[in-house]
Amino acid sequence: GAVVSQHPSRVICKSGTSVKIECRSLDFQATTMFWYRQFPKQSLMLMATSNEGSKATYEQGVEKDKFLINHASLTLSTLTVTSAHPEDSSFYICSARVVGLAGGREQFFGPGTRLTVL
Amino acid sequence: DAKTTQPPSMDCAEGRAANLPCNHSTISGNEYVYWYRQIHSQGPQYIIHGLKNNETNEMASLIITEDRKSSTLILPHATLRDTAVYYCIVRVGPGVGSARQLTFGSGTQLTVLP
């Protein structure tokens, strides 16, 4: 149980286009979803936190108008990279949080989406 | 959340135990120690967590010192598939702190050698 999926797993796009990444909790309802970004040979950096039905909270230095997050339901959050540029090329990972799960393990990560902007 | 310090890399022979250390000298009384790992180009995978008692599950054992200022993750019989970056994270426990995210440090690159 507690599987998180991401789609697409890999995307290549031209500079200036927008890309949407979906994050779904497949067998549970997520109260909160997190979006991380990871550049090569670096650790995961939190971009934003989103709660269903409310606006996302962005970390300092992350442009909210560039990285649009929509969390319309308890099982789906989307990240749209608008007007993507080569410097946005990265590995984007979402995680979903569920409260009250036995064993205390709360966050479940998706497999990640590799974005390459040409 | 308390800061953690891990060695940047370690090697381990296949079939032997891998012992990954983590220092967290500023840990607070209500903070847990979590371990995740990330295999190349995949999302992080939960391994284990604990507060003060040693913990064991099907993946690993977690040994926390009595003063809680450090811990060791033990993979009892490392395989090639255990090659990954291992992250030690300290944060408040389950259900506490609302929507608190996990803060990842630089982790330890464990390479299991054949």
Side-chain angles (χ1 to χ4, degrees):
Chain A
V3 176
V4 177
S5 70
Q6 281 185 242
H7 178 79
S9 59
R10 184 181 297 267
V11 58
I12 300 173
C13 69
K14 293 182 178 179
S15 185
T17 60
S18 294
V19 175
K20 180 185 285 188
I21 302 170
E22 292 186 349
C23 176
R24 292 182 186 273
S25 56
L26 297 185
D27 50 2
F28 67 98
Q29 292 184 327
T31 54
T32 304
M33 288 185 172
F34 304 94
W35 286 95
Y36 294 82
R37 178 168 56 181
Q38 185 175 33
F39 293 109
K41 298 190 184 301
Q42 294 186 24
S43 189
L44 285 77
M45 295 298 295
L46 180 70
M47 298 176 66
T49 301
S50 73
N51 294 293
E52 183 263 340
S54 62
K55 290 185 178 180
T57 302
Y58 291 81
E59 295 299 299
Q60 190 172 10
V62 178
E63 300 175 57
K64 62 180 181 180
D65 294 330
K66 181 170 183 61
F67 298 99
L68 302 179
I69 293 173
N70 184 285
H71 193 161
S73 77
L74 287 172
T75 59
L76 173 65
S77 177
T78 61
L79 168 68
T80 301
V81 183
T82 62
S83 187
H85 292 284
E87 57 266 29
D88 298 323
S89 297
S90 188
F91 192 50
Y92 291 86
I93 305 167
C94 72
S95 73
R97 180 176 184 261
V98 57
V99 178
L101 195 66
R105 175 184 163 190
E106 289 189 322
Q107 282 199 38
F108 302 87
F109 286 83
T113 296
R114 175 77 57 193
L115 170 64
T116 303
V117 184
L118 302 177
Chain B
D1 295 333
K3 181 180 172 59
T4 62
T5 304
Q6 298 177 253
S9 64
M10 293 182 64
D11 291 342
C12 175
E14 187 178 19
R16 305 296 293 268
N19 297 285
L20 293 95
C22 180
N23 287 321
H24 31 79
S25 59
T26 59
I27 191 170
S28 302
N30 65 343
E31 290 182 315
Y32 284 64
V33 180
Y34 285 79
W35 283 84
Y36 282 77
R37 73 179 183 184
Q38 186 180 25
I39 296 170
H40 183 63
S41 292
Q42 296 184 23
Q45 176 189 23
Y46 166 86
I47 301 173
I48 199 167
H49 75 281
L51 180 62
K52 54 183 178 180
N53 297 323
N54 297 338
E55 302 288 345
T56 296
N57 63 20
E58 65 279 3
M59 289 184 68
S61 295
L62 174 61
I63 308 298
I64 302 174
T65 58
E66 192 168 341
D67 63 7
R68 304 209 319 123
K69 292 184 177 182
S70 66
S71 60
T72 301
L73 179 74
I74 301 173
L75 307 179
H77 306 287
T79 70
L80 298 178
R81 285 177 291 185
D82 291 322
T83 293
V85 178
Y86 287 76
Y87 296 99
C88 168
I89 299 168
V90 173
R91 55 147 289 177
V92 293
V96 178
S98 186
R100 292 289 297 275
Q101 74 277 9
L102 294 167
T103 301
F104 289 81
S106 52
T108 296
Q109 170 67 59
L110 174 68
T111 303
V112 180
L113 304 172

